[in-house]
Amino acid sequence: MTAIDHAAWASYLLAAVDDRSAVTAITKQLDALSIDDAYAIQAALLELHLGRGDTVAGVKLGLTSAAKQEQMGVTEPVYGWVLGSSLIDGSGEVDLGELIHPRCEPEFVFVLGEDLAGPGVTGEDVLDATDCVTGGIEVIDSRYEAFSFTLPDVIADNTSAARVAIGSGAIGPRDADLTTLGCVFEVAGEVVATATGAALLGDPASCVAMLANHLGKHGQRLWAGWTILAGAPTDAKPLGAGTRARARYSHFDSVSIVGKG
Ligand code: 0L1
Ligand code: MG
């Protein structure tokens, strides 16, 4: 079997970002793409972003809820990088001219006060290491045509990461039972989904533990100060021009974004 050229596929995906133009899924062009190769492409893509002066603000989990797994037709969580350039400012405005076919989704967000290094990290370890928990809205933007991909494709594409708004009104990690955190997601003034923290594979903290253990296998850790997206508890909705999306949370301030362009 021919070796996969990770750097070349990373450039292919970065060109899609730059051109704001969807591309054919990688797995449609190869006999096989393993999960390890997919993460190697993701790592090469991160290097390209860092080479342009971007920074790592944290890490994201994706596909940690049944709603998201069903929407995308996959059965395993995925991990990607949150870039400093992806953070949406207080205006909540998302420039749609910079994106391909964005969708938005609520997120439970952890801010770490201490490093977390797998293996062996538990949900309790995550609570110990967490400074605070808050809400957010992530904008995802698959670089693939029709938002259609297999698991290795979406991993290579940094799990569709595009933009993220982090909300205020954070609470301490043990100020509430995180499985009962509530979220009401509204798009264009309509309630489109509701969920609790338990939608994230039973417990958001366990999802973050899974992430720390995954990174540990690759000799990496979650660093103090990083923002960790535990995953969307609902499916994602299109973000069009003039569309306002609002996530109302039981324990944190509401988060609101609007598509501009
Ligand atoms: O944040 C996410 O849940 C994205 C995971 C990748 C799948 C998708 O593009 O929805
Ligand atoms: Mg997400």
PDB file of all heavy atoms in Angstrom, residues 245-258:
ATOM      1  N   ALA A 245     -28.425  32.743  16.424  1.00  0.00           N
ATOM      2  CA  ALA A 245     -28.525  31.508  17.214  1.00  0.00           C
ATOM      3  C   ALA A 245     -28.241  31.864  18.657  1.00  0.00           C
ATOM      4  O   ALA A 245     -27.313  32.641  18.943  1.00  0.00           O
ATOM      5  CB  ALA A 245     -27.528  30.475  16.713  1.00  0.00           C
ATOM      6  N   ARG A 246     -29.050  31.309  19.544  1.00  0.00           N
ATOM      7  CA  ARG A 246     -28.857  31.618  20.972  1.00  0.00           C
ATOM      8  C   ARG A 246     -28.929  30.313  21.758  1.00  0.00           C
ATOM      9  O   ARG A 246     -29.849  29.507  21.536  1.00  0.00           O
ATOM     10  CB  ARG A 246     -29.948  32.575  21.440  1.00  0.00           C
ATOM     11  CG  ARG A 246     -29.747  33.058  22.876  1.00  0.00           C
ATOM     12  CD  ARG A 246     -30.544  34.325  23.136  1.00  0.00           C
ATOM     13  NE  ARG A 246     -31.946  34.028  23.328  1.00  0.00           N
ATOM     14  CZ  ARG A 246     -32.655  34.361  24.404  1.00  0.00           C
ATOM     15  NH1 ARG A 246     -32.081  35.027  25.387  1.00  0.00           N
ATOM     16  NH2 ARG A 246     -33.916  34.064  24.502  1.00  0.00           N
ATOM     17  N   ALA A 247     -27.970  30.115  22.621  1.00  0.00           N
ATOM     18  CA  ALA A 247     -28.010  28.964  23.536  1.00  0.00           C
ATOM     19  C   ALA A 247     -28.300  29.516  24.922  1.00  0.00           C
ATOM     20  O   ALA A 247     -27.526  30.351  25.434  1.00  0.00           O
ATOM     21  CB  ALA A 247     -26.686  28.215  23.509  1.00  0.00           C
ATOM     22  N   ARG A 248     -29.416  29.090  25.494  1.00  0.00           N
ATOM     23  CA  ARG A 248     -29.768  29.505  26.861  1.00  0.00           C
ATOM     24  C   ARG A 248     -29.412  28.359  27.791  1.00  0.00           C
ATOM     25  O   ARG A 248     -29.809  27.208  27.541  1.00  0.00           O
ATOM     26  CB  ARG A 248     -31.261  29.837  26.956  1.00  0.00           C
ATOM     27  CG  ARG A 248     -31.613  31.128  26.244  1.00  0.00           C
ATOM     28  CD  ARG A 248     -32.995  31.625  26.635  1.00  0.00           C
ATOM     29  NE  ARG A 248     -34.052  30.850  26.028  1.00  0.00           N
ATOM     30  CZ  ARG A 248     -35.038  30.269  26.710  1.00  0.00           C
ATOM     31  NH1 ARG A 248     -35.071  30.337  28.037  1.00  0.00           N
ATOM     32  NH2 ARG A 248     -35.977  29.602  26.073  1.00  0.00           N
ATOM     33  N   TYR A 249     -28.643  28.658  28.816  1.00  0.00           N
ATOM     34  CA  TYR A 249     -28.149  27.619  29.726  1.00  0.00           C
ATOM     35  C   TYR A 249     -28.762  27.775  31.112  1.00  0.00           C
ATOM     36  O   TYR A 249     -28.999  28.901  31.577  1.00  0.00           O
ATOM     37  CB  TYR A 249     -26.621  27.696  29.824  1.00  0.00           C
ATOM     38  CG  TYR A 249     -25.932  27.293  28.542  1.00  0.00           C
ATOM     39  CD1 TYR A 249     -25.449  28.244  27.647  1.00  0.00           C
ATOM     40  CD2 TYR A 249     -25.784  25.952  28.213  1.00  0.00           C
ATOM     41  CE1 TYR A 249     -24.830  27.868  26.459  1.00  0.00           C
ATOM     42  CE2 TYR A 249     -25.172  25.564  27.031  1.00  0.00           C
ATOM     43  CZ  TYR A 249     -24.703  26.520  26.162  1.00  0.00           C
ATOM     44  OH  TYR A 249     -24.104  26.138  24.990  1.00  0.00           O
ATOM     45  N   SER A 250     -28.955  26.655  31.785  1.00  0.00           N
ATOM     46  CA  SER A 250     -29.541  26.701  33.125  1.00  0.00           C
ATOM     47  C   SER A 250     -28.592  27.323  34.142  1.00  0.00           C
ATOM     48  O   SER A 250     -29.027  27.970  35.083  1.00  0.00           O
ATOM     49  CB  SER A 250     -29.895  25.279  33.579  1.00  0.00           C
ATOM     50  OG  SER A 250     -28.742  24.458  33.527  1.00  0.00           O
ATOM     51  N   HIS A 251     -27.291  27.141  33.950  1.00  0.00           N
ATOM     52  CA  HIS A 251     -26.336  27.545  34.984  1.00  0.00           C
ATOM     53  C   HIS A 251     -25.359  28.637  34.551  1.00  0.00           C
ATOM     54  O   HIS A 251     -24.548  29.078  35.363  1.00  0.00           O
ATOM     55  CB  HIS A 251     -25.535  26.332  35.465  1.00  0.00           C
ATOM     56  CG  HIS A 251     -26.348  25.315  36.214  1.00  0.00           C
ATOM     57  ND1 HIS A 251     -27.328  24.567  35.617  1.00  0.00           N
ATOM     58  CD2 HIS A 251     -26.334  24.943  37.514  1.00  0.00           C
ATOM     59  CE1 HIS A 251     -27.869  23.751  36.513  1.00  0.00           C
ATOM     60  NE2 HIS A 251     -27.284  23.957  37.669  1.00  0.00           N
ATOM     61  N   PHE A 252     -25.356  29.016  33.263  1.00  0.00           N
ATOM     62  CA  PHE A 252     -24.431  30.071  32.787  1.00  0.00           C
ATOM     63  C   PHE A 252     -25.224  31.095  31.983  1.00  0.00           C
ATOM     64  O   PHE A 252     -26.378  30.847  31.633  1.00  0.00           O
ATOM     65  CB  PHE A 252     -23.330  29.532  31.858  1.00  0.00           C
ATOM     66  CG  PHE A 252     -23.039  28.078  31.957  1.00  0.00           C
ATOM     67  CD1 PHE A 252     -23.342  27.203  30.923  1.00  0.00           C
ATOM     68  CD2 PHE A 252     -22.415  27.569  33.090  1.00  0.00           C
ATOM     69  CE1 PHE A 252     -23.052  25.859  31.005  1.00  0.00           C
ATOM     70  CE2 PHE A 252     -22.124  26.218  33.175  1.00  0.00           C
ATOM     71  CZ  PHE A 252     -22.455  25.363  32.136  1.00  0.00           C
ATOM     72  N   ASP A 253     -24.555  32.198  31.619  1.00  0.00           N
ATOM     73  CA  ASP A 253     -25.210  33.209  30.794  1.00  0.00           C
ATOM     74  C   ASP A 253     -25.506  32.627  29.403  1.00  0.00           C
ATOM     75  O   ASP A 253     -24.804  31.735  28.922  1.00  0.00           O
ATOM     76  CB  ASP A 253     -24.298  34.444  30.627  1.00  0.00           C
ATOM     77  CG  ASP A 253     -24.063  35.142  31.969  1.00  0.00           C
ATOM     78  OD1 ASP A 253     -24.774  34.815  32.940  1.00  0.00           O
ATOM     79  OD2 ASP A 253     -23.160  35.988  32.019  1.00  0.00           O
ATOM     80  N   SER A 254     -26.510  33.209  28.764  1.00  0.00           N
ATOM     81  CA  SER A 254     -26.831  32.820  27.387  1.00  0.00           C
ATOM     82  C   SER A 254     -25.707  33.253  26.448  1.00  0.00           C
ATOM     83  O   SER A 254     -25.005  34.229  26.716  1.00  0.00           O
ATOM     84  CB  SER A 254     -28.122  33.489  26.926  1.00  0.00           C
ATOM     85  OG  SER A 254     -29.185  33.067  27.710  1.00  0.00           O
ATOM     86  N   VAL A 255     -25.576  32.528  25.356  1.00  0.00           N
ATOM     87  CA  VAL A 255     -24.580  32.856  24.342  1.00  0.00           C
ATOM     88  C   VAL A 255     -25.319  33.076  23.030  1.00  0.00           C
ATOM     89  O   VAL A 255     -26.219  32.284  22.684  1.00  0.00           O
ATOM     90  CB  VAL A 255     -23.559  31.712  24.169  1.00  0.00           C
ATOM     91  CG1 VAL A 255     -22.487  32.075  23.143  1.00  0.00           C
ATOM     92  CG2 VAL A 255     -22.924  31.365  25.506  1.00  0.00           C
ATOM     93  N   SER A 256     -24.943  34.140  22.314  1.00  0.00           N
ATOM     94  CA  SER A 256     -25.669  34.483  21.104  1.00  0.00           C
ATOM     95  C   SER A 256     -24.690  34.809  19.986  1.00  0.00           C
ATOM     96  O   SER A 256     -23.699  35.497  20.219  1.00  0.00           O
ATOM     97  CB  SER A 256     -26.550  35.696  21.431  1.00  0.00           C
ATOM     98  OG  SER A 256     -27.327  36.057  20.357  1.00  0.00           O
ATOM     99  N   ILE A 257     -24.959  34.307  18.784  1.00  0.00           N
ATOM    100  CA  ILE A 257     -24.133  34.673  17.623  1.00  0.00           C
ATOM    101  C   ILE A 257     -25.071  35.029  16.476  1.00  0.00           C
ATOM    102  O   ILE A 257     -26.251  34.659  16.481  1.00  0.00           O
ATOM    103  CB  ILE A 257     -23.184  33.528  17.170  1.00  0.00           C
ATOM    104  CG1 ILE A 257     -23.991  32.287  16.742  1.00  0.00           C
ATOM    105  CG2 ILE A 257     -22.196  33.179  18.266  1.00  0.00           C
ATOM    106  CD1 ILE A 257     -23.140  31.248  16.016  1.00  0.00           C
ATOM    107  N   VAL A 258     -24.520  35.752  15.474  1.00  0.00           N
ATOM    108  CA  VAL A 258     -25.342  36.087  14.312  1.00  0.00           C
ATOM    109  C   VAL A 258     -24.492  35.974  13.057  1.00  0.00           C
ATOM    110  O   VAL A 258     -23.323  36.362  13.051  1.00  0.00           O
ATOM    111  CB  VAL A 258     -25.974  37.505  14.472  1.00  0.00           C
ATOM    112  CG1 VAL A 258     -24.929  38.588  14.583  1.00  0.00           C
ATOM    113  CG2 VAL A 258     -26.964  37.788  13.359  1.00  0.00           C
TER     114      VAL A 258
END
